[in-house]
């Protein structure tokens, strides 16, 4: 099974990123987490991305706030899918969101909501599951469980309204 690279621009992103770690663990996905900066350690970030596929990664999740160029820098140096998580730090995270979604042609960054760590992890799992049937089954089970919970809540509401 391919690993997921989880890269954050600062250790201050850790409270959001712990959701990624927990979700990946719940699916049994191996991952590595690193702190790198697009601006303060650009060579390190580029080298990591250039070697990510060779090092067994199948997806990169990159989180950053403010200027949020990390996901784009990583995407510029790999052909692996890169999922960006804009971190709410300034301007309510809109600056980070725009930095990630406004990528030039040929350098895509699949971007989730501001602080959207759960969806970033699930998207990474879905990508890895393209070549892993047991993982795909876990995703199906997760979605069925979510549906059951919504139906239960609706049933409770209907009982309350009687």
């Amino acid at each position: 099974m391919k690993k997921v690279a989880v890269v954050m621009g600062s250790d201050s992103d850790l409270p959001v990123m712990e959701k990624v770690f927990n979700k990946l663990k719940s699916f049994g996905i191996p991952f590595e987490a690193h702190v790198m900066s697009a601006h303060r350690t650009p060579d390190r970030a580029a080298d990591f991305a250039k070697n990510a596929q060779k090092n067994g990664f199948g997806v990169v999740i990159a989180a950053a706030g403010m200027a949020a160029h990390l996901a784009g820098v990583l995407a510029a140096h790999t052909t692996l899918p890169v999922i960006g998580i804009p971190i709410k730090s300034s301007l309510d995270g809109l600056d980070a969101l725009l930095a990630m979604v406004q990528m030039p042609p040929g350098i895509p960054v699949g971007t989730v909501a501001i602080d959207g760590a759960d969806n970033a992890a699930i998207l990474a799992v879905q990508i890895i599951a393209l070549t892993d049937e047991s993982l795909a089954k876990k995703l199906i089970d997760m979605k069925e469980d979510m549906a059951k919970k919504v139906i239960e809540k609706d049933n409770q509401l209907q009982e309350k309204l009687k």
Side-chain angles (χ1 to χ4, degrees), residues 43-82:
D43 292 338
R44 185 169 180 239
D47 185 60
F48 182 84
K50 286 176 187 175
N51 292 296
Q53 192 166 11
K54 179 179 75 175
N55 289 329
F57 295 103
V59 180
V60 177
I61 297 174
M66 300 173 79
H69 295 127
L70 182 60
V73 166
L74 296 173
H77 293 284
T78 187
T79 58
L80 293 176
V82 176

Side-chain angles (χ1 to χ4, degrees), residues 137-153:
K137 172 70 170 110
K138 288 180 183 180
L139 284 164
I140 290 167
D141 292 345
M142 178 198 74
K143 290 193 178 214
E144 288 175 354
D145 186 53
M146 289 186 331
K148 286 177 188 174
K149 288 178 180 175
V150 171
I151 291 167
E152 287 173 17
K153 289 178 182 185

Side-chain angles (χ1 to χ4, degrees), residues 114-137:
I114 296 166
D115 290 350
D118 281 331
N119 274 349
I122 291 168
L123 184 55
V125 173
Q126 289 175 325
I127 292 167
I128 302 277
L130 290 171
T131 57
D132 186 320
E133 288 183 30
S134 65
L135 194 53
K137 172 70 170 110

Side-chain angles (χ1 to χ4, degrees), residues 55-103:
N55 289 329
F57 295 103
V59 180
V60 177
I61 297 174
M66 300 173 79
H69 295 127
L70 182 60
V73 166
L74 296 173
H77 293 284
T78 187
T79 58
L80 293 176
V82 176
I83 302 166
I85 304 173
I87 301 294
K88 184 177 182 177
S89 56
S90 62
L91 300 177
D92 286 331
L94 291 176
D95 49 346
L97 176 65
L98 292 173
M100 286 186 192
V101 299
Q102 293 295 103
M103 293 300 298

